[in-house]
Amino acid sequence: MNIHPRSLDFLRDVDVRLSVELGRTHLTLREVLALGPESLVVLDRMTDELLDVMVNGKAIAKGEVIAHNGRFGLRIVEMTGHESDGAAAGGGHSGGATGDAVLPDPAASDAE
């Protein structure tokens, strides 16, 4: 059974959690309990590597950190996943596409 992409338009307003993973490391509980101000935790990612962009824990893209109006931002460098998924969703990009993430203004949400 094929579902027409337009029949799923109602899902576009569903909230999802977008997160960016800077890197990972493995620590013992003893090491975690010893953390404090000035502690250094070395991650498994090099400074020139792209960051993982995830939606609800699933990697969807790779990106890089940028500064935008005094805040951190994210520039999407490539989309990950199956090419057929992107084409079916209307994306059609197989990687290399760039775009800036839109950052919400926290002052605007406080005013509501």
Side-chain angles (χ1 to χ4, degrees):
M1 171 161 104
N2 287 336
I3 298 175
H4 193 277
R6 289 202 180 258
S7 66
L8 299 176
D9 279 349
F10 69 96
L11 293 174
R12 293 183 182 267
D13 291 329
V14 173
D15 287 337
V16 295
R17 178 175 298 273
L18 184 129
S19 57
V20 179
E21 184 172 284
L22 184 61
R24 294 181 181 196
T25 194
H26 293 278
L27 300 172
T28 65
L29 184 54
R30 178 184 316 274
E31 292 168 320
V32 171
L33 293 172
L35 292 175
E38 305 297 321
S39 292
L40 177 65
V41 178
V42 179
L43 303 175
D44 64 351
R45 195 174 309 246
M46 302 299 290
T47 57
D48 60 348
E49 287 183 69
L50 296 175
L51 307 178
D52 293 322
V53 181
M54 296 176 285
V55 170
N56 290 346
K58 179 177 168 100
I60 62 150
K62 298 277 187 181
E64 59 190 9
V65 174
I66 62 167
H68 180 75
N69 294 332
R71 299 186 58 176
F72 286 115
L74 174 70
R75 177 174 289 123
I76 301 296
V77 175
E78 66 185 54
M79 299 303 292
T80 58
H82 304 288
E83 285 186 34
S84 60
D85 290 347
H93 296 291
S94 60
T98 61
D100 291 333
V102 177
L103 299 175
D105 184 357
S109 62
D110 291 342
E112 293 177 356

